[in-house]
Amino acid sequence: MSHTDEMILMWNEFITQEYQNYKMFINNNQMPQYRTNYINGNEIEIPFIMQADTSHNPMILNINIVYMEKDKYLHCQPSLFHEFTHMWDSANLFIDEEPLNRSKFLSLYTEYHASQIEFLRFIECRSIDNIHNITPLDEFFVFNKKISVIDYYLNVCRLLFEKSCIYKSYKTPENYKYLMDAYMYVFGIKNMYDKYVNNVEIPKINDIFYEYMLITYSLLQKYNTNDLFKPLLQHIDSLDVVFAKDFINLQQ
């Protein structure tokens, strides 16, 4: 057995165990079937360490094999739980809705939800029903190093700034999606941060979506998940119109 095969075997066992841990963490067994796919990031350029592809049956958990050879895989449970949440959402939320509308809704909402779960796992909560309060300076592991809770939030804020700058330079559908995802990372973590750490501000972003995204956050706070589908979907349509006008203006 090669070294890579040994690493894959180890990871398969680790991920299988964490999948069971995730079910206990969210107190829900309604998880889909999945398979793990290992991609060599040295041969194919991919912008992730791990990624859930929910468009297949069974779903696919992609793992960048480069990080299996480094110490960055240590304490990767928050990121795994983020991807597992995408799987849960895709398998369970609004399954009777029209597929295109459901896909649009989930493309935004699931990043918010996954970031909430990721943060709770980062601060080492035992489950979503056993959450403890912490301070901004408390430190927990992210992959191979410890960082403070406030730095964890500031890191996603920096990512949002970065994605906003990239979008303004290259107004593509892909960069629009990356920017929306970054907003939702901030919103999901802020929601948990406000509840269990301290109130924290949404960073002021200088792009055309900022005021619309503040409305997005207010909708996420106003409605519970069961009642969120129609109001958030209507708002997503408004966001898409803003992007479409911006994109068309760029082409002229």
Side-chain angles (χ1 to χ4, degrees), residues 131-191:
I131 302 172
H132 49 257
N133 291 339
I134 55 175
T135 73
L137 297 181
D138 287 343
E139 293 186 338
F140 301 94
F141 274 104
V142 173
F143 292 106
N144 62 331
K145 65 179 181 180
K146 277 189 171 183
I147 67 170
S148 70
V149 177
I150 184 60
D151 281 340
Y152 191 87
Y153 180 67
L154 292 177
N155 283 345
V156 294
C157 292
R158 293 185 191 102
L159 177 66
L160 176 55
F161 279 115
E162 174 188 327
K163 296 304 181 184
S164 178
C165 290
I166 292 173
Y167 172 80
K168 284 185 284 188
S169 298
Y170 306 98
K171 297 178 179 180
T172 66
E174 182 179 48
N175 287 336
Y176 168 58
K177 176 63 168 66
Y178 288 154
L179 176 58
M180 294 298 101
D181 288 352
Y183 269 109
M184 302 312 283
Y185 301 155
V186 170
F187 292 167
I189 294 172
K190 171 184 162 51
N191 175 259

Side-chain angles (χ1 to χ4, degrees), residues 182-223:
Y183 269 109
M184 302 312 283
Y185 301 155
V186 170
F187 292 167
I189 294 172
K190 171 184 162 51
N191 175 259
M192 294 291 99
Y193 200 106
D194 285 353
K195 289 182 178 180
Y196 304 112
V197 189
N198 199 358
N199 287 338
V200 67
E201 296 295 325
I202 296 173
K204 179 67 172 72
I205 305 298
N206 182 27
D207 64 40
I208 62 173
F209 301 107
Y210 181 72
E211 297 298 331
Y212 287 87
M213 294 311 292
L214 292 182
I215 296 172
T216 305
Y217 187 73
S218 69
L219 290 174
L220 292 165
Q221 308 315 300
K222 179 178 180 179
Y223 294 96

Side-chain angles (χ1 to χ4, degrees), residues 221-235:
Q221 308 315 300
K222 179 178 180 179
Y223 294 96
N224 62 42
T225 303
N226 290 335
D227 298 325
L228 184 62
F229 187 85
K230 288 185 178 179
L232 186 58
L233 183 63
Q234 291 174 351
H235 186 60

